[in-house]
Amino acid sequence: MKNPLLTMLERRKEGLKIGMPSYCTANDLAIEALLEQSKRFGDYILIEGTANQINQFGGYTGMTPKDFRDYVFAIADKVNFEREKIILGADHFGPLVWSNLPAETAMKNSKELVKLAVLAGFKKIHLDTSMKLADDDEFLSDEVIAERGTILLEECEKAYQELLKSNPDEVRPVYIIGSEVPIPGGSQDEKEGLQVTKPEDFEKTLKIYKRKFKEHKISERWEDVIAVVVQPGVEFGDKDIHAYNRLKAVKLCEALKKYPDFVFEGHSTDYQPPEKLREMVEDGIAILKVGPALTFALREGLFALSMIEKELVPEDKRADFIETLEKIMLENPSNWQKHYHGSDEDKRIARKYSYSDRCRYYFSLPEIKSAIEKLFVNIDSIAENIPAGMLRQYMPRQYQKIRDGLLKFNVRDLAKDFVVSCAEDYNYATKINYML
């Protein structure tokens, strides 16, 4: 069986301007919504985890690559989604979380991380070695970045050969190189300059990596590298979104046409209008990574249900999800305090509504999960008493779907449909005639 991402690339060579959304989230409700949405259309789905989220030491989710695989597969089984149609991706895999360590130790950890990812069945590996390590020179050269990336790819290849021993039909992973993007999760300073990757820098990356493959005697694996991460001019911060401007990226995208075996991978595409996402895919930015926007959408749905709860459920019986989330974030500020600035009021608003969506780090905590489940129970208990006008007030898009027979009134489905709406933008951008 061929890697579905290679199939996507082949179809683009035939002239079809298609792409692949890359959903980077570890939230169970978001994953459930995404799998159900893909199931409706019989699609493959790419679900990614970052090195921050999952690594051999657990990451902030407490999961190893194998744990993450089993976690996603368990959700898939729950919604009867075929495991074979899930593409697991590893994002920013390299020394990202060990940049404070000497290169020898950081790279040792990185080799173990990519090995575990491949052994766990991850089929898309973003090799990111762009960060300066503790004993590196002040300026990290492209040579060093490519050398480290090539070393990690060799480790991936060893792990893949291990898989072949037990399954000769094991799908070969594909690789993404380059990392001209901000830190995972979005920029912390929306005023900082945003520069589109220069065409010569993109081509230099390919040239140096290709030479490193030759030096390491793995030139035959060059065909497994399918994309380069670039900065096409899209980003989001606490309050602002930098929308895609294809005129500013035209030189970069023209350079890509010389390399038909490659596409660009765009990071931080969250909150882009669907028309802009479509333009990106047309221009060669065929892999669109999205993360915080998914849980931001879920949070919108949970807040909307909370407002209905305040209208119809007695105060002493409410889940008070909004208040519980604020309380837990204040008691455990480590995941937001370095990201939100200004007055106490500014930070209070940011904790709820920032595009950076730092509240997503709290959704897996027992207190928050308990509040969500209680909210669902409460809304279910008063479902018959919710006036259509109130549903339209707080959930206008879901109201329309229910009115038109496209969505059943189920509280979990109402919340998840906010995530589905986000996914629909990406399907519109990456799939031919999706809206038809």
Side-chain angles (χ1 to χ4, degrees):
M1 178 181 168
K2 184 177 291 185
N3 193 307
L5 287 161
L6 285 175
T7 303
M8 180 268 289
L9 192 60
E10 289 174 357
R11 294 184 69 191
R12 285 189 64 88
K13 288 182 188 178
E14 295 168 358
L16 294 175
K17 302 297 186 181
I18 63 171
M20 178 75 76
S22 170
Y23 299 118
C24 188
T25 182
N27 182 276
D28 56 343
L29 281 171
I31 292 173
E32 190 175 313
L34 294 167
L35 290 172
E36 289 172 340
Q37 171 69 353
S38 293
K39 183 181 175 183
R40 294 184 187 105
F41 299 94
D43 289 341
Y44 282 94
I45 184 170
L46 172 57
I47 298 177
E48 300 216 24
T50 68
N52 278 326
Q53 290 173 314
I54 54 173
N55 57 56
Q56 62 265 48
F57 304 111
Y60 70 74
T61 64
M63 287 188 276
T64 65
K66 180 179 180 296
D67 293 334
F68 185 72
R69 177 201 67 192
D70 294 344
Y71 172 72
V72 172
F73 281 177
I75 299 172
D77 293 345
K78 176 182 175 183
V79 300
N80 296 313
F81 188 91
E82 297 177 58
R83 292 184 175 190
E84 293 75 17
K85 288 196 171 182
I86 298 173
I87 308 166
L88 291 174
D91 191 42
H92 292 287
F93 269 39
L96 175 67
V97 293
W98 303 294
S99 60
N100 62 321
L101 299 176
E104 183 179 354
T105 306
M107 283 300 293
K108 180 181 178 182
N109 288 345
S110 301
K111 289 165 70 174
E112 179 67 12
L113 175 59
V114 298
K115 170 188 170 184
L116 291 176
V118 174
L119 290 177
F122 285 60
K123 298 304 179 187
K124 173 185 173 289
I125 315 290
H126 172 210
L127 301 171
D128 183 4
T129 52
S130 62
M131 58 291 303
K132 190 172 83 70
L133 306 180
D135 53 354
D136 281 337
D137 295 333
E138 188 61 32
F139 175 74
L140 192 62
S141 71
D142 293 331
E143 290 277 340
V144 172
I145 292 171
E147 174 69 20
R148 288 172 178 171
T150 304
I151 289 171
L152 294 185
L153 190 141
E154 286 183 300
E155 202 65 32
C156 292
E157 179 62 16
K158 291 176 187 175
Y160 175 67
Q161 293 301 320
E162 282 294 313
L163 292 178
L164 287 177
K165 292 177 182 178
S166 56
N167 179 17
D169 297 322
E170 186 73 38
V171 174
R172 180 178 285 280
V174 295
Y175 302 98
I176 316 298
I177 59 174
S179 51
E180 195 160 333
V181 292
I183 59 173
S187 170
Q188 294 185 38
D189 181 6
E190 50 265 36
K191 294 180 181 179
E192 64 191 18
L194 189 62
Q195 300 296 321
V196 174
T197 300
K198 295 177 182 178
E200 55 268 30
D201 290 340
F202 152 61
E203 294 188 86
K204 184 180 179 183
T205 294
L206 287 181
K207 181 180 178 181
I208 295 176
Y209 260 97
K210 192 171 184 179
R211 173 162 53 79
K212 289 294 181 182
F213 276 39
K214 185 176 181 180
E215 291 173 2
H216 284 253
K217 296 181 171 53
I218 57 168
S219 292
E220 69 278 7
R221 297 278 59 86
W222 186 243
E223 64 186 27
D224 300 330
V225 182
I226 65 163
V228 180
V229 176
V230 294
Q231 175 51 275
V234 301
E235 179 54 289
F236 64 92
D238 188 19
K239 300 176 183 177
D240 294 343
I241 300 164
H242 295 278
Y244 180 61
N245 184 335
R246 67 190 332 173
L247 293 178
K248 292 184 177 180
V250 66
K251 291 183 179 179
L252 174 64
C253 295
E254 281 294 320
L256 180 64
K257 293 179 181 178
K258 294 187 284 184
Y259 306 93
D261 293 327
F262 291 88
V263 294
F264 287 142
E265 176 168 296
H267 288 211
S268 299
T269 69
D270 307 66
Y271 312 109
Q272 293 286 315
E275 296 79 11
K276 296 296 184 182
L277 294 172
R278 182 68 205 160
E279 288 179 4
M280 292 172 71
V281 174
E282 291 172 351
D283 293 346
I285 308 157
I287 303 174
L288 301 177
K289 185 167 171 289
V290 54
L294 300 170
T295 40
F296 184 94
L298 177 62
R299 193 270 313 154
E300 288 180 307
L302 294 171
F303 272 29
L305 290 171
S306 294
M307 298 309 293
I308 294 173
E309 181 189 52
K310 290 181 189 300
E311 293 279 9
L312 298 176
V313 175
E315 187 174 354
D316 62 333
K317 295 183 179 180
R318 293 176 194 161
D320 289 327
F321 170 75
I322 297 174
E323 292 78 10
T324 302
L325 181 61
E326 171 72 352
K327 175 177 177 289
I328 297 300
M329 290 183 74
L330 285 173
E331 290 175 353
N332 306 274
S334 60
N335 286 313
W336 61 263
Q337 60 185 358
K338 293 181 180 178
H339 298 262
Y340 299 154
H341 309 288
S343 67
D344 287 345
E345 180 65 7
D346 291 335
K347 288 182 275 191
R348 183 186 71 83
I349 295 298
R351 284 192 293 272
K352 288 186 173 73
Y353 304 111
S354 167
Y355 287 133
S356 299
D357 189 50
R358 304 301 296 182
C359 65
R360 71 186 185 276
Y361 291 91
Y362 299 84
F363 276 24
S364 62
L365 296 180
E367 300 94 330
I368 301 301
K369 291 183 77 70
S370 177
I372 292 172
E373 289 304 318
K374 185 175 181 180
L375 174 63
F376 287 169
V377 170
N378 283 347
I379 298 298
D380 263 339
S381 71
I382 49 103
E384 294 180 356
N385 300 326
I386 300 175
M390 184 182 295
L391 189 65
R392 175 172 172 164
Q393 170 72 42
Y394 294 114
M395 296 182 149
R397 198 164 184 173
Q398 289 65 40
Y399 160 80
Q400 290 178 350
K401 288 185 176 182
I402 291 172
R403 180 197 64 192
D404 298 338
L406 300 175
L407 181 67
K408 293 182 180 179
F409 190 104
N410 174 284
V411 65
R412 288 178 67 88
D413 289 345
L414 285 172
K416 289 187 295 184
D417 195 66
F418 281 73
V419 181
V420 169
S421 294
C422 181
E424 285 175 343
D425 289 345
Y426 284 84
N427 284 327
Y428 165 75
T430 59
K431 304 180 192 307
I432 299 296
N433 293 333
Y434 170 75
M435 297 307 289
L436 299 179

